[in-house]
């Protein structure tokens, strides 16, 4: 009932758009999820990363098309196969006015493995780094364990902290709890922290000491609004200036409304189904004794074959998704054009595979999903559950608020779950290493592998690719690794999200493939 009321409010508000004038100084953004933490090194998660990169800069920053550009490092060079030097900007200052030095960078890298209880550890990006040292006040030298071609793209995910502000008595310096209170949040980015209370607005203001072009906005407000219809109503009534993920049912109306603008980007976020391939018994599959049917490849293939991906992309996602059989869109590095097409649904073959595996009458399973983290996530999960049930696997959906879902996922409480992964490097190795690498978070492997898939041959291929400097040879290794996990049904790709933002007239946004909502990239046409 509330949803209906909100939709009616949204429709009525169309008439009001344009009657309200834009504020020249403030930007209010309706976001679908709030960050799980303000600790810049706690959780590799889009809501966290986008807030972090409004306040902090990395050495190298990815542009909207995921091309690395100089940020705090003006330039860099490899001085040997395993040693790189990064020259820091000499005009960069933190928001408290203190200058950036190489010691701040060394402190930042040293803290990463010390952050406890990280759900998705940043060690994913530092696993090949052997040493970080200050060659002088403005030169950082990074030594890798072996020749490592991905260093520059990996460190683009690492915001640089102020050593003075983020130090403390704990092993990691300022703790995650202290960061969440706003302590130590001193960066070099275009905005600085003002206030945050979980469940309410996160407020930033322009950093007067920013080294780059001053931000267009005096104040930025990230407002968490999990309901897309509520976000739309707020945009249309003028309560917010920009929103993430407009409702797919209203998207065409948004595009033709002269009072609004819509920004889209090719997406790299893969929506997938992870399957428990370790737990026996598996927690969401009753009545099978100690047996976990998902350990059988034929069962995993049956579940994949029963999903009509094209129907989901067209009917559930309203066209803002691309059905696929791969984990990264082509032409990203390591993706294969021939694997981009979605597998053809084949329910009869799925039933035959289940019977062959010893499950002629199927079994019951619970499919976990966040509700409101990804576009139409719970609806997609419901649709997949219905398709599985049609094939003989009686599925029910357990939808939960994103923080609850991720906590349950990290505690391995699901036999199967729907989730998504946004690739921020544009290379297949990052996706494979995180989602299907054998789970060893301390070594940066399997950091989001909640299904606990493990394949030593795959791990060896990824290790070999990581040490291969020749692009052609590395691409071939990654394509082979990709084929290995897909043919094993170690994970089931469903579709790539097409990221969409809606803005009030007069605003433009440089839409990003990594789906970050960055206020510094929102411009006002004056």
């Amino acid at each position: 009932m509330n949803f209906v009321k909100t939709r009616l409010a949204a429709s009525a508000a169309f008439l009001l758009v344009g009657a309200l004038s834009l504020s020249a100084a403030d930007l209010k953004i309706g976001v679908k999820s709030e960050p799980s933490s303000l600790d810049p090194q706690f959780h590799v998660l889009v809501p966290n990363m986008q807030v972090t990169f409004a306040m902090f800069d990395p050495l190298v920053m990815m542009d909207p098309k995921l091309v690395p550009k100089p940020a705090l490092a003006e330039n860099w060079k490899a001085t040997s196969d395993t040693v790189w030097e990064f020259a820091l900007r000499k005009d960069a200052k933190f928001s408290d006015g203190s200058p950036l030095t190489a010691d701040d960078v060394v402190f930042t890298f040293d803290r990463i493995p010390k952050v406890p209880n990280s759900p998705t550890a940043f060690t994913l990006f530092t696993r090949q780094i052997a040493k970080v040292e200050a060659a002088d006040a403005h030169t950082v030298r990074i030594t890798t364990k072996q020749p490592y071609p991905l260093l520059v793209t990996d460190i683009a995910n690492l915001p640089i902290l102020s050593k003075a502000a983020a130090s403390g008595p704990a092993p990691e310096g300022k703790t995650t709890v202290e960061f969440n209170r706003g302590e130590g949040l001193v960066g070099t980015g275009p905005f600085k922290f003002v206030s945050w209370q979980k469940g309410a607005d996160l407020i930033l203001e322009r950093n007067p000491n920013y080294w780059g072009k001053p931000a267009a906005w005096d104040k930025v407000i990230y407002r968490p609004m999990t309901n897309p219809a509520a976000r739309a109503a707020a945009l249309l009534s003028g309560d917010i200036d920009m929103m993430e993920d407009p409702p797919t049912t209203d998207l065409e109306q948004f595009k033709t409304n002269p009072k609004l603008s819509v920004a889209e980007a090719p997406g790299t976020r893969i929506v997938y189904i992870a399957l428990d391939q370790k737990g026996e018994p598996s927690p969401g599959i009753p009545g099978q004794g100690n047996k976990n049917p998902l350990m059988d490849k034929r069962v995993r293939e049956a579940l994949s074959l029963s999903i009509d991906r094209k129907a989901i992309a067209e009917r559930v996602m309203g066209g803002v998704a691309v059905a696929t059989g791969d984990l990264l869109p082509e032409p990203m590095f390591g993706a294969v054009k021939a694997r981009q097409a979605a597998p053809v649904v084949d329910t009869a073959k799925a039933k035959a595979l289940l019977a062959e595996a010893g499950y002629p009458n199927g079994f019951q399973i619970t499919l976990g999903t966040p509700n409101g983290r990804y576009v139409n996530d719970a609806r997609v999960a419901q649709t997949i559950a219905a398709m599985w049930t049609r094939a003989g696997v009686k599925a029910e959906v357990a939808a939960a608020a994103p923080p609850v879902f991720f906590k349950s996922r990290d505690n391995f409480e699901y036999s199967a779950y729907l989730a998504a992964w946004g690739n921020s490097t544009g290379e297949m190795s990052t996706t494979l290493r995180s989602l299907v690498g054998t789970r060893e978070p301390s070594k940066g492997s399997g950091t989001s592998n909640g299904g606990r898939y493990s394949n030593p041959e795959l791990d060896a291929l990824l290790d070999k690719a990581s040490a291969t400097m020749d692009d052609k040879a590395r691409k071939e290794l990654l394509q082979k690794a990709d084929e290995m996990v897909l043919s094993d049904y170690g994970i089931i790709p469903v579709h790539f999200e097409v990221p969409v933002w809606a803005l009030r007239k007069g605003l433009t946004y440089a839409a990003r493939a990594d789906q970050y909502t960055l206020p510094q990239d929102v411009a006002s046409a004056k």
Side-chain angles (χ1 to χ4, degrees), residues 309-321:
R309 294 164 174 81
K310 288 187 177 179
I312 290 172
E314 293 170 3
R315 301 170 196 167
V316 182
M317 294 295 293
V320 291

Side-chain angles (χ1 to χ4, degrees), residues 69 302 413 415 452 475:
K69 301 291 185 183
E413 295 175 7
S415 292
R452 292 174 289 178
K475 180 183 287 186

Side-chain angles (χ1 to χ4, degrees), residues 210-281:
Y210 183 50
W211 55 270
K213 181 182 178 182
W217 311 103
D218 292 330
K219 182 188 293 184
V220 172
I221 298 172
Y222 281 101
R223 180 163 297 165
M225 308 176 77
T226 57
N227 187 316
R231 290 197 299 275
L235 176 67
L236 295 165
S237 66
D239 286 343
I240 60 174
D241 304 303
M242 176 183 186
M243 65 173 290
E244 297 176 334
D245 293 344
T248 54
T249 51
D250 293 338
L251 190 55
E252 288 307 312
Q253 192 177 8
F254 272 51
K255 288 180 177 178
T256 57
N257 188 324
K259 307 300 184 184
L260 299 176
S261 63
V262 172
E264 295 183 3
T268 61
R269 175 182 285 167
I270 179 66
V271 173
Y272 62 89
I273 300 293
L275 303 172
D276 177 16
Q277 291 163 71
K278 184 172 182 177
E280 288 196 293

